[in-house]
mmCIF file with all atom_site columns, all heavy atoms in Angstrom:
data_model
loop_
_atom_site.group_PDB
_atom_site.id
_atom_site.type_symbol
_atom_site.label_atom_id
_atom_site.label_alt_id
_atom_site.label_comp_id
_atom_site.label_asym_id
_atom_site.label_entity_id
_atom_site.label_seq_id
_atom_site.pdbx_PDB_ins_code
_atom_site.Cartn_x
_atom_site.Cartn_y
_atom_site.Cartn_z
_atom_site.occupancy
_atom_site.B_iso_or_equiv
_atom_site.pdbx_formal_charge
_atom_site.auth_seq_id
_atom_site.auth_comp_id
_atom_site.auth_asym_id
_atom_site.auth_atom_id
_atom_site.pdbx_PDB_model_num
ATOM 1   N N   . LYS U 1 1  ? 26.766 -52.114 -207.366 1.00 90.00 ? 1  LYS U N   1
ATOM 2   C CA  . LYS U 1 1  ? 27.117 -52.173 -205.955 1.00 90.00 ? 1  LYS U CA  1
ATOM 3   C C   . LYS U 1 1  ? 26.841 -50.840 -205.267 1.00 90.00 ? 1  LYS U C   1
ATOM 4   O O   . LYS U 1 1  ? 26.649 -49.805 -205.908 1.00 90.00 ? 1  LYS U O   1
ATOM 5   C CB  . LYS U 1 1  ? 28.597 -52.534 -205.775 1.00 90.00 ? 1  LYS U CB  1
ATOM 6   C CG  . LYS U 1 1  ? 29.017 -53.846 -206.414 1.00 90.00 ? 1  LYS U CG  1
ATOM 7   C CD  . LYS U 1 1  ? 28.470 -55.037 -205.655 1.00 90.00 ? 1  LYS U CD  1
ATOM 8   C CE  . LYS U 1 1  ? 29.002 -56.347 -206.223 1.00 90.00 ? 1  LYS U CE  1
ATOM 9   N NZ  . LYS U 1 1  ? 28.468 -57.524 -205.489 1.00 90.00 ? 1  LYS U NZ  1
ATOM 10  N N   . GLY U 1 2  ? 26.818 -50.898 -203.951 1.00 90.00 ? 2  GLY U N   1
ATOM 11  C CA  . GLY U 1 2  ? 26.731 -49.723 -203.103 1.00 90.00 ? 2  GLY U CA  1
ATOM 12  C C   . GLY U 1 2  ? 27.499 -49.995 -201.827 1.00 90.00 ? 2  GLY U C   1
ATOM 13  O O   . GLY U 1 2  ? 27.994 -51.106 -201.606 1.00 90.00 ? 2  GLY U O   1
ATOM 14  N N   . ALA U 1 3  ? 27.622 -49.004 -200.971 1.00 90.00 ? 3  ALA U N   1
ATOM 15  C CA  . ALA U 1 3  ? 28.391 -49.159 -199.741 1.00 90.00 ? 3  ALA U CA  1
ATOM 16  C C   . ALA U 1 3  ? 27.709 -48.403 -198.619 1.00 90.00 ? 3  ALA U C   1
ATOM 17  O O   . ALA U 1 3  ? 26.894 -47.499 -198.842 1.00 90.00 ? 3  ALA U O   1
ATOM 18  C CB  . ALA U 1 3  ? 29.825 -48.667 -199.931 1.00 90.00 ? 3  ALA U CB  1
ATOM 19  N N   . GLN U 1 4  ? 28.066 -48.780 -197.398 1.00 87.00 ? 4  GLN U N   1
ATOM 20  C CA  . GLN U 1 4  ? 27.540 -48.116 -196.211 1.00 87.00 ? 4  GLN U CA  1
ATOM 21  C C   . GLN U 1 4  ? 28.612 -47.374 -195.428 1.00 87.00 ? 4  GLN U C   1
ATOM 22  O O   . GLN U 1 4  ? 28.271 -46.578 -194.550 1.00 87.00 ? 4  GLN U O   1
ATOM 23  C CB  . GLN U 1 4  ? 26.850 -49.129 -195.290 1.00 87.00 ? 4  GLN U CB  1
ATOM 24  C CG  . GLN U 1 4  ? 25.508 -49.611 -195.786 1.00 87.00 ? 4  GLN U CG  1
ATOM 25  C CD  . GLN U 1 4  ? 24.813 -50.495 -194.775 1.00 87.00 ? 4  GLN U CD  1
ATOM 26  O OE1 . GLN U 1 4  ? 25.060 -51.685 -194.699 1.00 87.00 ? 4  GLN U OE1 1
ATOM 27  N NE2 . GLN U 1 4  ? 23.944 -49.907 -193.976 1.00 87.00 ? 4  GLN U NE2 1
ATOM 28  N N   . ALA U 1 5  ? 29.875 -47.637 -195.691 1.00 88.00 ? 5  ALA U N   1
ATOM 29  C CA  . ALA U 1 5  ? 30.973 -46.968 -194.982 1.00 88.00 ? 5  ALA U CA  1
ATOM 30  C C   . ALA U 1 5  ? 31.961 -46.419 -196.009 1.00 88.00 ? 5  ALA U C   1
ATOM 31  O O   . ALA U 1 5  ? 32.316 -47.111 -196.980 1.00 88.00 ? 5  ALA U O   1
ATOM 32  C CB  . ALA U 1 5  ? 31.673 -47.936 -194.032 1.00 88.00 ? 5  ALA U CB  1
ATOM 33  N N   . PHE U 1 6  ? 32.403 -45.205 -195.770 1.00 91.00 ? 6  PHE U N   1
ATOM 34  C CA  . PHE U 1 6  ? 33.342 -44.538 -196.672 1.00 91.00 ? 6  PHE U CA  1
ATOM 35  C C   . PHE U 1 6  ? 34.469 -43.932 -195.840 1.00 91.00 ? 6  PHE U C   1
ATOM 36  O O   . PHE U 1 6  ? 34.237 -43.377 -194.763 1.00 91.00 ? 6  PHE U O   1
ATOM 37  C CB  . PHE U 1 6  ? 32.634 -43.452 -197.492 1.00 91.00 ? 6  PHE U CB  1
ATOM 38  C CG  . PHE U 1 6  ? 31.502 -43.966 -198.335 1.00 91.00 ? 6  PHE U CG  1
ATOM 39  C CD1 . PHE U 1 6  ? 30.201 -44.025 -197.828 1.00 91.00 ? 6  PHE U CD1 1
ATOM 40  C CD2 . PHE U 1 6  ? 31.728 -44.417 -199.625 1.00 91.00 ? 6  PHE U CD2 1
ATOM 41  C CE1 . PHE U 1 6  ? 29.166 -44.510 -198.586 1.00 91.00 ? 6  PHE U CE1 1
ATOM 42  C CE2 . PHE U 1 6  ? 30.687 -44.911 -200.398 1.00 91.00 ? 6  PHE U CE2 1
ATOM 43  C CZ  . PHE U 1 6  ? 29.398 -44.957 -199.879 1.00 91.00 ? 6  PHE U CZ  1
ATOM 44  N N   . HIS U 1 7  ? 35.694 -44.053 -196.355 1.00 90.00 ? 7  HIS U N   1
ATOM 45  C CA  . HIS U 1 7  ? 36.874 -43.616 -195.624 1.00 90.00 ? 7  HIS U CA  1
ATOM 46  C C   . HIS U 1 7  ? 37.709 -42.706 -196.528 1.00 90.00 ? 7  HIS U C   1
ATOM 47  O O   . HIS U 1 7  ? 37.995 -43.062 -197.683 1.00 90.00 ? 7  HIS U O   1
ATOM 48  C CB  . HIS U 1 7  ? 37.713 -44.817 -195.183 1.00 90.00 ? 7  HIS U CB  1
ATOM 49  C CG  . HIS U 1 7  ? 36.895 -45.934 -194.588 1.00 90.00 ? 7  HIS U CG  1
ATOM 50  N ND1 . HIS U 1 7  ? 36.488 -45.940 -193.277 1.00 90.00 ? 7  HIS U ND1 1
ATOM 51  C CD2 . HIS U 1 7  ? 36.388 -47.061 -195.152 1.00 90.00 ? 7  HIS U CD2 1
ATOM 52  C CE1 . HIS U 1 7  ? 35.770 -47.029 -193.051 1.00 90.00 ? 7  HIS U CE1 1
ATOM 53  N NE2 . HIS U 1 7  ? 35.698 -47.724 -194.175 1.00 90.00 ? 7  HIS U NE2 1
ATOM 54  N N   . LEU U 1 8  ? 38.100 -41.574 -195.992 1.00 91.00 ? 8  LEU U N   1
ATOM 55  C CA  . LEU U 1 8  ? 38.928 -40.608 -196.712 1.00 91.00 ? 8  LEU U CA  1
ATOM 56  C C   . LEU U 1 8  ? 40.286 -40.560 -196.025 1.00 91.00 ? 8  LEU U C   1
ATOM 57  O O   . LEU U 1 8  ? 40.381 -40.212 -194.844 1.00 91.00 ? 8  LEU U O   1
ATOM 58  C CB  . LEU U 1 8  ? 38.266 -39.230 -196.700 1.00 91.00 ? 8  LEU U CB  1
ATOM 59  C CG  . LEU U 1 8  ? 38.861 -38.184 -197.645 1.00 91.00 ? 8  LEU U CG  1
ATOM 60  C CD1 . LEU U 1 8  ? 38.615 -38.576 -199.104 1.00 91.00 ? 8  LEU U CD1 1
ATOM 61  C CD2 . LEU U 1 8  ? 38.262 -36.811 -197.360 1.00 91.00 ? 8  LEU U CD2 1
ATOM 62  N N   . PHE U 1 9  ? 41.331 -40.920 -196.750 1.00 90.00 ? 9  PHE U N   1
ATOM 63  C CA  . PHE U 1 9  ? 42.689 -40.925 -196.218 1.00 90.00 ? 9  PHE U CA  1
ATOM 64  C C   . PHE U 1 9  ? 43.469 -39.760 -196.821 1.00 90.00 ? 9  PHE U C   1
ATOM 65  O O   . PHE U 1 9  ? 43.529 -39.615 -198.056 1.00 90.00 ? 9  PHE U O   1
ATOM 66  C CB  . PHE U 1 9  ? 43.392 -42.245 -196.540 1.00 90.00 ? 9  PHE U CB  1
ATOM 67  C CG  . PHE U 1 9  ? 42.693 -43.453 -195.964 1.00 90.00 ? 9  PHE U CG  1
ATOM 68  C CD1 . PHE U 1 9  ? 41.888 -44.254 -196.763 1.00 90.00 ? 9  PHE U CD1 1
ATOM 69  C CD2 . PHE U 1 9  ? 42.822 -43.780 -194.631 1.00 90.00 ? 9  PHE U CD2 1
ATOM 70  C CE1 . PHE U 1 9  ? 41.241 -45.350 -196.247 1.00 90.00 ? 9  PHE U CE1 1
ATOM 71  C CE2 . PHE U 1 9  ? 42.175 -44.883 -194.095 1.00 90.00 ? 9  PHE U CE2 1
ATOM 72  C CZ  . PHE U 1 9  ? 41.386 -45.672 -194.904 1.00 90.00 ? 9  PHE U CZ  1
ATOM 73  N N   . LEU U 1 10 ? 44.065 -38.951 -195.962 1.00 91.00 ? 10 LEU U N   1
ATOM 74  C CA  . LEU U 1 10 ? 44.854 -37.788 -196.370 1.00 91.00 ? 10 LEU U CA  1
ATOM 75  C C   . LEU U 1 10 ? 46.313 -38.062 -196.050 1.00 91.00 ? 10 LEU U C   1
ATOM 76  O O   . LEU U 1 10 ? 46.685 -38.184 -194.872 1.00 91.00 ? 10 LEU U O   1
ATOM 77  C CB  . LEU U 1 10 ? 44.368 -36.530 -195.649 1.00 91.00 ? 10 LEU U CB  1
ATOM 78  C CG  . LEU U 1 10 ? 42.853 -36.283 -195.619 1.00 91.00 ? 10 LEU U CG  1
ATOM 79  C CD1 . LEU U 1 10 ? 42.535 -35.022 -194.829 1.00 91.00 ? 10 LEU U CD1 1
ATOM 80  C CD2 . LEU U 1 10 ? 42.296 -36.196 -197.029 1.00 91.00 ? 10 LEU U CD2 1
ATOM 81  N N   . TYR U 1 11 ? 47.142 -38.153 -197.078 1.00 90.00 ? 11 TYR U N   1
ATOM 82  C CA  . TYR U 1 11 ? 48.554 -38.494 -196.907 1.00 90.00 ? 11 TYR U CA  1
ATOM 83  C C   . TYR U 1 11 ? 49.391 -37.220 -196.933 1.00 90.00 ? 11 TYR U C   1
ATOM 84  O O   . TYR U 1 11 ? 49.436 -36.512 -197.943 1.00 90.00 ? 11 TYR U O   1
ATOM 85  C CB  . TYR U 1 11 ? 49.009 -39.464 -197.998 1.00 90.00 ? 11 TYR U CB  1
ATOM 86  C CG  . TYR U 1 11 ? 48.326 -40.811 -197.908 1.00 90.00 ? 11 TYR U CG  1
ATOM 87  C CD1 . TYR U 1 11 ? 47.125 -41.053 -198.561 1.00 90.00 ? 11 TYR U CD1 1
ATOM 88  C CD2 . TYR U 1 11 ? 48.870 -41.839 -197.155 1.00 90.00 ? 11 TYR U CD2 1
ATOM 89  C CE1 . TYR U 1 11 ? 46.483 -42.280 -198.471 1.00 90.00 ? 11 TYR U CE1 1
ATOM 90  C CE2 . TYR U 1 11 ? 48.248 -43.072 -197.056 1.00 90.00 ? 11 TYR U CE2 1
ATOM 91  C CZ  . TYR U 1 11 ? 47.059 -43.283 -197.720 1.00 90.00 ? 11 TYR U CZ  1
ATOM 92  O OH  . TYR U 1 11 ? 46.445 -44.504 -197.612 1.00 90.00 ? 11 TYR U OH  1
ATOM 93  N N   . ARG U 1 12 ? 50.043 -36.944 -195.813 1.00 89.00 ? 12 ARG U N   1
ATOM 94  C CA  . ARG U 1 12 ? 50.870 -35.760 -195.708 1.00 89.00 ? 12 ARG U CA  1
ATOM 95  C C   . ARG U 1 12 ? 52.291 -36.060 -196.179 1.00 89.00 ? 12 ARG U C   1
ATOM 96  O O   . ARG U 1 12 ? 52.742 -37.208 -196.162 1.00 89.00 ? 12 ARG U O   1
ATOM 97  C CB  . ARG U 1 12 ? 50.904 -35.258 -194.255 1.00 89.00 ? 12 ARG U CB  1
ATOM 98  C CG  . ARG U 1 12 ? 49.583 -34.722 -193.807 1.00 89.00 ? 12 ARG U CG  1
ATOM 99  C CD  . ARG U 1 12 ? 49.440 -34.497 -192.318 1.00 89.00 ? 12 ARG U CD  1
ATOM 100 N NE  . ARG U 1 12 ? 50.648 -34.129 -191.619 1.00 89.00 ? 12 ARG U NE  1
ATOM 101 C CZ  . ARG U 1 12 ? 50.686 -33.748 -190.341 1.00 89.00 ? 12 ARG U CZ  1
ATOM 102 N NH1 . ARG U 1 12 ? 49.558 -33.675 -189.652 1.00 89.00 ? 12 ARG U NH1 1
ATOM 103 N NH2 . ARG U 1 12 ? 51.811 -33.439 -189.757 1.00 89.00 ? 12 ARG U NH2 1
ATOM 104 N N   . VAL U 1 13 ? 52.985 -35.017 -196.588 1.00 85.00 ? 13 VAL U N   1
ATOM 105 C CA  . VAL U 1 13 ? 54.330 -35.200 -197.106 1.00 85.00 ? 13 VAL U CA  1
ATOM 106 C C   . VAL U 1 13 ? 55.316 -35.542 -195.993 1.00 85.00 ? 13 VAL U C   1
ATOM 107 O O   . VAL U 1 13 ? 56.421 -36.019 -196.274 1.00 85.00 ? 13 VAL U O   1
ATOM 108 C CB  . VAL U 1 13 ? 54.800 -33.933 -197.861 1.00 85.00 ? 13 VAL U CB  1
ATOM 109 C CG1 . VAL U 1 13 ? 53.948 -33.692 -199.078 1.00 85.00 ? 13 VAL U CG1 1
ATOM 110 C CG2 . VAL U 1 13 ? 54.785 -32.718 -196.940 1.00 85.00 ? 13 VAL U CG2 1
ATOM 111 N N   . ASP U 1 14 ? 54.962 -35.301 -194.720 1.00 80.00 ? 14 ASP U N   1
ATOM 112 C CA  . ASP U 1 14 ? 55.848 -35.619 -193.595 1.00 80.00 ? 14 ASP U CA  1
ATOM 113 C C   . ASP U 1 14 ? 55.518 -36.980 -193.007 1.00 80.00 ? 14 ASP U C   1
ATOM 114 O O   . ASP U 1 14 ? 55.509 -37.157 -191.795 1.00 80.00 ? 14 ASP U O   1
ATOM 115 C CB  . ASP U 1 14 ? 55.772 -34.533 -192.520 1.00 80.00 ? 14 ASP U CB  1
ATOM 116 C CG  . ASP U 1 14 ? 54.338 -34.277 -192.059 1.00 80.00 ? 14 ASP U CG  1
ATOM 117 O OD1 . ASP U 1 14 ? 53.413 -34.812 -192.692 1.00 80.00 ? 14 ASP U OD1 1
ATOM 118 O OD2 . ASP U 1 14 ? 54.158 -33.548 -191.067 1.00 80.00 ? 14 ASP U OD2 1
ATOM 119 N N   . HIS U 1 15 ? 55.250 -37.966 -193.885 1.00 78.00 ? 15 HIS U N   1
ATOM 120 C CA  . HIS U 1 15 ? 54.983 -39.371 -193.575 1.00 78.00 ? 15 HIS U CA  1
ATOM 121 C C   . HIS U 1 15 ? 53.972 -39.548 -192.441 1.00 78.00 ? 15 HIS U C   1
ATOM 122 O O   . HIS U 1 15 ? 54.163 -40.331 -191.515 1.00 78.00 ? 15 HIS U O   1
ATOM 123 C CB  . HIS U 1 15 ? 56.270 -40.142 -193.290 1.00 78.00 ? 15 HIS U CB  1
ATOM 124 C CG  . HIS U 1 15 ? 57.043 -39.707 -192.078 1.00 78.00 ? 15 HIS U CG  1
ATOM 125 N ND1 . HIS U 1 15 ? 56.708 -40.074 -190.819 1.00 78.00 ? 15 HIS U ND1 1
ATOM 126 C CD2 . HIS U 1 15 ? 58.151 -38.950 -191.962 1.00 78.00 ? 15 HIS U CD2 1
ATOM 127 C CE1 . HIS U 1 15 ? 57.558 -39.565 -189.947 1.00 78.00 ? 15 HIS U CE1 1
ATOM 128 N NE2 . HIS U 1 15 ? 58.448 -38.878 -190.623 1.00 78.00 ? 15 HIS U NE2 1
ATOM 129 N N   . LYS U 1 16 ? 52.853 -38.842 -192.528 1.00 82.00 ? 16 LYS U N   1
ATOM 130 C CA  . LYS U 1 16 ? 51.734 -39.056 -191.624 1.00 82.00 ? 16 LYS U CA  1
ATOM 131 C C   . LYS U 1 16 ? 50.457 -39.133 -192.446 1.00 82.00 ? 16 LYS U C   1
ATOM 132 O O   . LYS U 1 16 ? 50.393 -38.585 -193.551 1.00 82.00 ? 16 LYS U O   1
ATOM 133 C CB  . LYS U 1 16 ? 51.630 -37.931 -190.587 1.00 82.00 ? 16 LYS U CB  1
ATOM 134 C CG  . LYS U 1 16 ? 52.768 -37.919 -189.581 1.00 82.00 ? 16 LYS U CG  1
ATOM 135 C CD  . LYS U 1 16 ? 52.562 -36.853 -188.519 1.00 82.00 ? 16 LYS U CD  1
ATOM 136 C CE  . LYS U 1 16 ? 53.700 -36.867 -187.504 1.00 82.00 ? 16 LYS U CE  1
ATOM 137 N NZ  . LYS U 1 16 ? 53.516 -35.836 -186.456 1.00 82.00 ? 16 LYS U NZ  1
ATOM 138 N N   . VAL U 1 17 ? 49.468 -39.812 -191.902 1.00 85.00 ? 17 VAL U N   1
ATOM 139 C CA  . VAL U 1 17 ? 48.212 -39.982 -192.621 1.00 85.00 ? 17 VAL U CA  1
ATOM 140 C C   . VAL U 1 17 ? 47.065 -39.658 -191.672 1.00 85.00 ? 17 VAL U C   1
ATOM 141 O O   . VAL U 1 17 ? 47.077 -40.044 -190.500 1.00 85.00 ? 17 VAL U O   1
ATOM 142 C CB  . VAL U 1 17 ? 48.068 -41.415 -193.185 1.00 85.00 ? 17 VAL U CB  1
ATOM 143 C CG1 . VAL U 1 17 ? 48.135 -42.453 -192.082 1.00 85.00 ? 17 VAL U CG1 1
ATOM 144 C CG2 . VAL U 1 17 ? 46.782 -41.570 -193.970 1.00 85.00 ? 17 VAL U CG2 1
ATOM 145 N N   . MET U 1 18 ? 46.106 -38.910 -192.161 1.00 86.00 ? 18 MET U N   1
ATOM 146 C CA  . MET U 1 18 ? 44.880 -38.617 -191.425 1.00 86.00 ? 18 MET U CA  1
ATOM 147 C C   . MET U 1 18 ? 43.724 -39.337 -192.119 1.00 86.00 ? 18 MET U C   1
ATOM 148 O O   . MET U 1 18 ? 43.744 -39.518 -193.337 1.00 86.00 ? 18 MET U O   1
ATOM 149 C CB  . MET U 1 18 ? 44.615 -37.110 -191.392 1.00 86.00 ? 18 MET U CB  1
ATOM 150 C CG  . MET U 1 18 ? 45.696 -36.306 -190.697 1.00 86.00 ? 18 MET U CG  1
ATOM 151 S SD  . MET U 1 18 ? 45.306 -34.530 -190.669 1.00 86.00 ? 18 MET U SD  1
ATOM 152 C CE  . MET U 1 18 ? 45.406 -34.156 -192.421 1.00 86.00 ? 18 MET U CE  1
ATOM 153 N N   . SER U 1 19 ? 42.756 -39.736 -191.335 1.00 85.00 ? 19 SER U N   1
ATOM 154 C CA  . SER U 1 19 ? 41.623 -40.465 -191.908 1.00 85.00 ? 19 SER U CA  1
ATOM 155 C C   . SER U 1 19 ? 40.318 -39.905 -191.369 1.00 85.00 ? 19 SER U C   1
ATOM 156 O O   . SER U 1 19 ? 40.221 -39.531 -190.200 1.00 85.00 ? 19 SER U O   1
ATOM 157 C CB  . SER U 1 19 ? 41.713 -41.963 -191.590 1.00 85.00 ? 19 SER U CB  1
ATOM 158 O OG  . SER U 1 19 ? 41.659 -42.180 -190.198 1.00 85.00 ? 19 SER U OG  1
ATOM 159 N N   . LEU U 1 20 ? 39.328 -39.850 -192.237 1.00 87.00 ? 20 LEU U N   1
ATOM 160 C CA  . LEU U 1 20 ? 37.962 -39.467 -191.893 1.00 87.00 ? 20 LEU U CA  1
ATOM 161 C C   . LEU U 1 20 ? 37.047 -40.586 -192.373 1.00 87.00 ? 20 LEU U C   1
ATOM 162 O O   . LEU U 1 20 ? 37.170 -41.045 -193.511 1.00 87.00 ? 20 LEU U O   1
ATOM 163 C CB  . LEU U 1 20 ? 37.564 -38.145 -192.558 1.00 87.00 ? 20 LEU U CB  1
ATOM 164 C CG  . LEU U 1 20 ? 38.358 -36.886 -192.187 1.00 87.00 ? 20 LEU U CG  1
ATOM 165 C CD1 . LEU U 1 20 ? 37.860 -35.706 -193.012 1.00 87.00 ? 20 LEU U CD1 1
ATOM 166 C CD2 . LEU U 1 20 ? 38.222 -36.590 -190.715 1.00 87.00 ? 20 LEU U CD2 1
ATOM 167 N N   . SER U 1 21 ? 36.135 -41.011 -191.511 1.00 87.00 ? 21 SER U N   1
ATOM 168 C CA  . SER U 1 21 ? 35.212 -42.087 -191.850 1.00 87.00 ? 21 SER U CA  1
ATOM 169 C C   . SER U 1 21 ? 33.788 -41.630 -191.608 1.00 87.00 ? 21 SER U C   1
ATOM 170 O O   . SER U 1 21 ? 33.507 -40.966 -190.599 1.00 87.00 ? 21 SER U O   1
ATOM 171 C CB  . SER U 1 21 ? 35.507 -43.346 -191.033 1.00 87.00 ? 21 SER U CB  1
ATOM 172 O OG  . SER U 1 21 ? 36.795 -43.853 -191.317 1.00 87.00 ? 21 SER U OG  1
ATOM 173 N N   . VAL U 1 22 ? 32.902 -41.981 -192.517 1.00 89.00 ? 22 VAL U N   1
ATOM 174 C CA  . VAL U 1 22 ? 31.477 -41.684 -192.387 1.00 89.00 ? 22 VAL U CA  1
ATOM 175 C C   . VAL U 1 22 ? 30.701 -42.948 -192.713 1.00 89.00 ? 22 VAL U C   1
ATOM 176 O O   . VAL U 1 22 ? 31.197 -43.852 -193.385 1.00 89.00 ? 22 VAL U O   1
ATOM 177 C CB  . VAL U 1 22 ? 31.041 -40.528 -193.317 1.00 89.00 ? 22 VAL U CB  1
ATOM 178 C CG1 . VAL U 1 22 ? 31.727 -39.226 -192.924 1.00 89.00 ? 22 VAL U CG1 1
ATOM 179 C CG2 . VAL U 1 22 ? 31.329 -40.862 -194.774 1.00 89.00 ? 22 VAL U CG2 1
ATOM 180 N N   . ASN U 1 23 ? 29.466 -42.996 -192.225 1.00 87.00 ? 23 ASN U N   1
ATOM 181 C CA  . ASN U 1 23 ? 28.620 -44.164 -192.428 1.00 87.00 ? 23 ASN U CA  1
ATOM 182 C C   . ASN U 1 23 ? 27.254 -43.729 -192.931 1.00 87.00 ? 23 ASN U C   1
ATOM 183 O O   . ASN U 1 23 ? 26.809 -42.599 -192.695 1.00 87.00 ? 23 ASN U O   1
ATOM 184 C CB  . ASN U 1 23 ? 28.465 -44.949 -191.127 1.00 87.00 ? 23 ASN U CB  1
ATOM 185 C CG  . ASN U 1 23 ? 29.777 -45.514 -190.635 1.00 87.00 ? 23 ASN U CG  1
ATOM 186 O OD1 . ASN U 1 23 ? 30.311 -46.456 -191.204 1.00 87.00 ? 23 ASN U OD1 1
ATOM 187 N ND2 . ASN U 1 23 ? 30.307 -44.931 -189.574 1.00 87.00 ? 23 ASN U ND2 1
ATOM 188 N N   . SER U 1 24 ? 26.606 -44.653 -193.608 1.00 87.00 ? 24 SER U N   1
ATOM 189 C CA  . SER U 1 24 ? 25.260 -44.424 -194.136 1.00 87.00 ? 24 SER U CA  1
ATOM 190 C C   . SER U 1 24 ? 24.328 -45.491 -193.597 1.00 87.00 ? 24 SER U C   1
ATOM 191 O O   . SER U 1 24 ? 24.716 -46.658 -193.457 1.00 87.00 ? 24 SER U O   1
ATOM 192 C CB  . SER U 1 24 ? 25.276 -44.445 -195.670 1.00 87.00 ? 24 SER U CB  1
ATOM 193 O OG  . SER U 1 24 ? 23.968 -44.352 -196.196 1.00 87.00 ? 24 SER U OG  1
#
């Protein structure tokens, strides 16, 4: 398999989440 979209989720200890998404 392969993919065209990738997502990076960063979970902070103060119950918040940041996300970064890139595409190919």
Side-chain angles (χ1 to χ4, degrees):
K1 303 288 185 180
Q4 286 186 276
F6 301 90
H7 315 277
L8 192 67
F9 300 101
L10 313 178
Y11 294 89
R12 292 167 32 172
V13 296
D14 54 351
H15 64 80
K16 292 184 179 180
V17 59
M18 298 181 293
S19 62
L20 298 177
S21 297
V22 296
N23 296 288
S24 174

